[in-house]
Amino acid sequence: MAENLADYRALVHRTDEEGLPGLVATLLATRGSTTVLAPPGVPAAWLAALDPGITRVEDSPGSTARELDGVDSVITGCALAVAETGTLVLDGSADQGRRRVTLVPDHHICVVRVADQVVGSVPQAMPRLDPTRPLTWISGPSATSDIELDRVEGVHGPRTLEVVLVED
């Protein structure tokens, strides 16, 4: 999983449940974030070690793309992750929020619980997903190429994707 995520230029970190709050605080501080959006279902423990200078921004259905663009970072969970392809799947659950909160801010931290959420392949993932939910499949930071094949990141989503693999 970690190798395939890195192949897509995601930044991969490993920790255990106890180290997660400190790692999240470090990632946000290193990035220079002063605001972080965390959907309502993100466990409070994930943000327990935040520097007092970082403001948690609440998502609301009325948040515009312009308002979300002013947020430095977003932190979410995921529905599951596919090891073979290095892909994260979000389904809009309470710890993941609306699709737009993961596409507009320039920095996305996604927490993956390895034991419960990592599957080997896409065929293994499909039965675990609810096809009536809004599924977003993420393989690395947003990227596109122009006609000369020059890679440009951040055109259709965050330029920086940091994945935290939480292991027991």
Side-chain angles (χ1 to χ4, degrees), residues 1 3-8 81-89 119-123 125 137-140:
M1 180 76 199
E3 188 176 304
N4 289 332
L5 283 164
D7 280 348
Y8 280 112
V82 181
E84 183 177 64
T85 60
T87 302
L88 307 171
V89 183
V119 297
S121 65
V122 172
W137 297 67
I138 301 170
S139 295

Side-chain angles (χ1 to χ4, degrees), residues 116-127:
D116 299 333
Q117 295 180 313
V118 176
V119 297
S121 65
V122 172
Q124 291 171 330
M126 296 309 292

Side-chain angles (χ1 to χ4, degrees), residues 88-168:
L88 307 171
V89 183
L90 283 62
D91 68 2
S93 293
D95 67 338
Q96 298 153 49
R98 299 176 307 135
R99 187 169 189 259
R100 77 170 37 191
V101 304
T102 63
L103 296 176
V104 178
D106 203 41
H107 179 229
H108 180 187
I109 299 171
C110 186
V111 176
V112 179
R113 290 189 165 91
V114 174
D116 299 333
Q117 295 180 313
V118 176
V119 297
S121 65
V122 172
Q124 291 171 330
M126 296 309 292
R128 292 184 55 178
L129 296 170
D130 179 348
T132 65
R133 297 199 56 85
L135 301 177
T136 302
W137 297 67
I138 301 170
S139 295
S142 167
T144 191
S145 295
D146 64 15
I147 196 163
E148 295 175 1
L149 299 180
D150 291 326
R151 182 180 169 101
V152 178
E153 294 181 354
V155 176
H156 306 292
R159 285 183 230 286
T160 305
L161 173 64
E162 300 202 61
V163 180
V164 178
L165 301 175
V166 179
E167 301 171 296
D168 295 331

